[in-house]
Amino acid sequence: MKKTVNTYKEAKLNGEKVTMLTAYDYSTAKLMDEAGVDSILVGDSLGNVMLGYEDTISVTMEDMIHHCSAVARGAKNTLIVCDMPFMSYQTGEYDALVNAGRLMKEGRANAVKLEGGVEVAPIIKKIVEAGIPVCAHIGLTPQAINAMGGYKVQGKSSEAAKKLVEDALAVQEAGAFAVVLECVPADLATFITEKLSITTIGIGAGNGCDGQVLVYADMLSMFSDYRPKFVKQFANVGEEMKKGFKGYIDAVKAAAYPEKEHTYKIDEEVMAEVKGKFNG
Ligand code: KIV
């Protein structure tokens, strides 16, 4: 059965955790769907994971639509949430509405996600009023990385912690169905979760949230150069892939692949005729 925003509501009421993972392509989405994840986030982290950018700033609407529609073709039962990229909503309510609509119509998303708290609440309200479910995202918001001065834990001072609670209440009031809490101290994330009637989804925010999200390339250890403290390694796919690639390279160089069982046959008479014609 297709998971929807109601899956989130029911889970919160029943005290059940919800699961979310990022995906950016058909094959990965299909595997996650088959594994039974509740929701897939087509995150603008695709800029880092798939496109090799340093941050998410350069990701475009076209990038998001292209990847979201591939995910939608792969995941039939999963709620698909698509990130609104940098400057697709910060420029005003009209742009936000048009771009959220494109992610739904062309990207086939079931909901959109955008970063910010009190300051984007009117934008969230407008999108929700148009019948588009919105997931908010507060705490560490990577699109504001240049203003934040780096990837750091948020809400550590009493002033910053109170601002985060106000942000959470504001996005709930605006109609968001869920809010991602990124890099927030665990006790503060638990407090926010208890205060809200909507679902909190933690990433680097401890075990007190209603659900969790991770970037799939991080939790599968696809890259060995960087892993944030909050990421647990659930598999070592990067090493397995490299092992496979190296095995292939070695086998081809040594003329050990393809073997007989990997080749197609031709009748001997046909080959003899061909050789007769061309070898004289
Ligand atoms: O883009 C993304 O992957 C995200 C998650 C880190 C929550 O926003």
Side-chain angles (χ1 to χ4, degrees):
M1 255 236 302
K2 174 81 178 171
K3 309 244 171 85
T4 68
V5 291
N6 289 336
T7 313
Y8 271 54
K9 284 185 194 143
E10 281 158 24
K12 175 111 185 175
L13 288 174
N14 298 330
E16 289 161 9
K17 298 279 188 190
V18 288
T19 54
M20 177 186 260
L21 283 170
T22 68
Y24 320 98
D25 66 284
Y26 168 84
S27 325
T28 312
K30 193 166 186 302
L31 290 171
M32 283 179 192
D33 196 62
E34 286 166 8
V37 74
D38 293 314
S39 51
I40 289 178
L41 171 65
V42 186
D44 60 356
S45 52
L46 81 84
N48 312 79
V49 178
M50 304 302 284
L51 305 177
Y53 296 143
E54 260 178 41
D55 53 41
T56 59
I57 301 296
S58 304
V59 176
T60 64
M61 276 296 296
E62 268 55 43
D63 292 331
M64 295 311 300
I65 289 168
H66 179 73
H67 286 267
C68 191
S69 60
V71 165
R73 288 190 287 277
K76 296 291 170 218
N77 300 313
T78 309
L79 176 77
I80 299 165
V81 182
C82 187
D83 253 339
M84 299 196 68
F86 184 56
M87 284 300 137
S88 68
Y89 56 95
Q90 292 92 338
T91 49
E93 289 175 13
Y94 177 79
D95 284 350
L97 205 50
V98 169
N99 287 322
R102 287 193 68 200
L103 296 178
M104 304 292 281
K105 280 168 79 102
E106 299 170 53
R108 302 300 301 170
N110 306 123
V112 300
K113 176 167 87 55
L114 54 85
E115 297 180 5
V118 171
E119 65 286 1
V120 294
I123 286 171
I124 293 176
K125 188 164 186 289
K126 204 81 194 159
I127 299 173
V128 171
E129 279 169 1
I132 300 174
V134 175
C135 177
H137 181 162
I138 62 173
L140 197 163
T141 48
Q143 290 177 15
I145 197 63
N146 289 296
M148 286 181 155
Y151 297 96
K152 293 183 245 181
V153 179
Q154 302 295 306
K156 288 189 81 148
S157 69
S158 64
E159 199 184 325
K162 283 186 226 153
K163 164 80 167 83
L164 269 184
V165 179
E166 278 158 13
D167 282 339
L169 290 169
V171 298
Q172 169 172 276
E173 179 65 25
F177 75 95
V179 57
V180 168
L181 306 178
E182 180 164 356
C183 287
V184 173
D187 287 348
L188 179 60
T190 303
F191 177 75
I192 291 173
T193 301
E194 287 165 359
K195 271 253 159 280
L196 296 189
S197 58
I198 61 170
T199 307
T200 60
I201 307 169
I203 174 164
N207 203 9
C209 297
D210 298 312
Q212 296 292 327
V213 58
L214 281 177
V215 171
Y216 90 98
D218 290 342
M219 53 83 77
L220 292 184
S221 285
M222 294 190 72
F223 308 111
S224 53
D225 43 358
Y226 171 70
R227 179 161 5 112
K229 171 184 160 80
F230 57 79
V231 175
K232 179 173 168 166
Q233 183 178 331
F234 286 87
N236 199 347
V237 170
E239 276 311 309
E240 277 303 304
M241 286 175 80
K242 271 198 268 180
K243 215 163 42 173
F245 298 147
K246 281 187 183 142
Y248 167 78
I249 293 165
D250 292 347
V252 171
K253 295 273 189 199
Y257 172 82
E259 291 159 74
K260 225 179 179 136
E261 74 243 44
H262 309 122
T263 54
Y264 301 105
K265 290 198 182 100
I266 186 169
D267 285 345
E268 280 175 18
E269 304 89 78
V270 175
M271 256 336 277
E273 212 181 303
V274 172
K275 284 180 183 169
K277 176 170 164 69
F278 290 100
N279 289 346

